[in-house]
Amino acid sequence: MRIGGAEIMMISSSAVEALNLKEASSWWSDVNESPIWQDRIFHALAVLYGIVSIVAVIQLVRIQFRVPEYGWTTQKVFHFLNFVVNGVRAVVFVFRRDVQFMHPEILQHILLDIPSLAFFTTYALLVLFWAEIYYQARAVSTDGLRPGFFTINAVVYVVQIVLWLVLWWKPVRVMVILSKMFFAGASLFAALGFLLYGGRLFLMLQRFPVESKGRRKKLQEVGYVTTICFTCFLIRCIMMCFAAFEEGANLDVLDHPILNFIYYLLVEILPSSLVLFILRKLPPKRGITQYHQIR
């Protein structure tokens, strides 16, 4: 039986593709299973988080010097929370190997989950700020927005604490799944919040006269931040769903450093960096009407 040239080329091509796939898989496995590479990637994440945290606190100090007469405005609290969230993440990744071997095991879940909860609160605050601007512009009362913000956050934290306590009492797989699905639901809720109020504010700004001062810049700011935050929370939601049911997508282990790097880069580091850059403009020294003190 004779094999033609075309068949030989197809067999060779298939063999090369299989070899490349095997080499790629081997590279991925070698990095994931190497303690040295695990530490390098986790420390790289720590450095990136540290940089974002420093940028946030520098911006907070700049705002304080610009408007010292105002207390804890929404903008100041937002930058402070960014500083805390990214700082805690940096510390956790510096000691990531030690965290993995902490006992009782519930401490691992708490240290890895608390920054995610704080990240949710940080960006929910931005949604609140936009909702207040939107309703004030439409002459609608905003009295219920802040109580609603605090209530939602209280419910999220209480539910998560209950899940931690149950997981501590009975550390079974189903409780880990419930915890991850809860994070997925909270992330989806945040994504929809950005889509709802960011979208409403964007459409409202579009209807302003073209010659309105700062209209174009504010329109771009709201559009960019809405897109970035909606996308990052949606990715977080999808990834948490995968991680809940697929062991290969688990982020709470040492031997998935590449997945950790990609995930945290996409859902926290890159979005936080972009949002801080977009919102870098300092407030005017006087005549500030868009700021609201946190009570």
Side-chain angles (χ1 to χ4, degrees):
M1 180 178 179
R2 301 177 65 182
I3 301 177
E7 286 82 357
I8 293 175
M9 290 180 65
M10 289 178 62
I11 293 172
S12 300
S13 177
S14 299
V16 170
E17 289 178 2
L19 182 61
N20 290 337
L21 184 61
K22 183 177 180 180
E23 289 178 351
S25 176
S26 176
W27 170 84
W28 181 280
S29 299
D30 290 343
V31 172
N32 280 335
E33 295 170 6
S34 168
I36 295 176
W37 274 106
Q38 290 170 6
D39 290 340
R40 285 175 178 174
I41 291 176
F42 290 140
H43 290 162
L45 283 170
V47 170
L48 292 175
Y49 273 113
I51 292 172
V52 177
S53 182
I54 291 170
V55 170
V57 77
I58 289 174
Q59 185 68 355
L60 174 61
V61 172
R62 293 177 67 215
I63 295 170
Q64 178 59 28
F65 277 119
R66 173 61 66 92
V67 284
E69 64 273 18
Y70 288 86
W72 280 100
T73 64
T74 304
Q75 189 181 28
K76 289 179 184 178
V77 174
F78 176 75
H79 283 88
F80 175 75
L81 289 176
N82 264 296
F83 161 68
V84 173
V85 170
N86 289 282
V88 171
R89 278 284 193 215
V91 173
V92 169
F93 277 115
V94 167
F95 300 102
R96 184 64 182 85
R97 189 168 297 278
D98 297 322
V99 169
Q100 191 67 31
F101 297 107
M102 292 183 71
H103 292 286
E105 187 178 339
I106 188 62
L107 294 176
Q108 302 174 26
H109 294 284
I110 292 174
L111 287 174
L112 293 174
D113 292 345
I114 279 182
S116 296
L117 289 172
F119 187 84
F120 170 83
T121 299
T122 302
Y123 285 86
L125 183 65
L126 188 56
V127 175
L128 169 67
F129 183 51
W130 283 356
E132 288 181 329
I133 293 176
Y134 175 77
Y135 285 123
Q136 286 174 357
R138 297 177 64 87
V140 177
S141 174
T142 61
D143 292 343
L145 289 178
R146 286 180 182 270
F149 167 80
F150 290 117
T151 300
I152 290 171
N153 276 273
V155 169
V156 168
Y157 281 81
V158 168
V159 171
Q160 185 57 59
I161 290 171
V162 170
L163 289 172
W164 283 335
L165 291 174
V166 175
L167 187 60
W168 184 20
W169 172 62
K170 195 170 185 179
V172 293
R173 173 66 179 166
V174 66
M175 293 309 303
V176 177
I177 293 175
L178 285 175
S179 181
K180 293 185 184 301
M181 291 304 296
F182 175 70
F183 267 114
S187 298
L188 180 61
F189 183 78
L192 294 177
F194 274 104
L195 191 63
L196 176 63
Y197 288 107
R200 282 181 171 183
L201 190 58
F202 182 84
L203 293 175
M204 184 183 71
L205 289 170
Q206 272 192 325
R207 292 193 291 268
F208 281 6
V210 176
E211 63 274 9
S212 295
K213 184 180 179 181
R215 171 187 174 276
R216 182 180 297 276
K217 187 172 183 179
K218 182 61 66 175
L219 191 66
Q220 291 176 344
E221 177 183 298
V222 173
Y224 289 150
V225 173
T226 297
T227 302
I228 291 167
C229 294
F230 171 77
T231 302
C232 91
F233 277 104
L234 187 62
I235 293 174
R236 182 190 287 273
C237 173
I238 294 171
M239 189 60 195
M240 283 295 101
C241 291
F242 275 111
F245 300 100
E246 178 59 50
E247 190 61 32
N250 189 3
L251 295 162
D252 299 337
V253 292
L254 291 177
D255 56 357
H256 290 161
I258 302 176
L259 185 63
N260 268 264
F261 186 83
I262 296 172
Y263 172 76
Y264 287 110
L265 185 68
L266 291 179
V267 305
E268 289 188 4
I269 296 172
L270 192 57
S272 295
S273 302
L274 291 173
V275 170
L276 288 174
F277 176 76
I278 294 170
L279 302 180
R280 68 191 183 280
K281 183 180 178 181
L282 294 176
K285 291 185 177 182
R286 298 186 182 279
I288 306 173
T289 59
Q290 72 270 33
Y291 275 30
H292 310 278
Q293 188 169 357
I294 296 293
R295 297 179 177 88

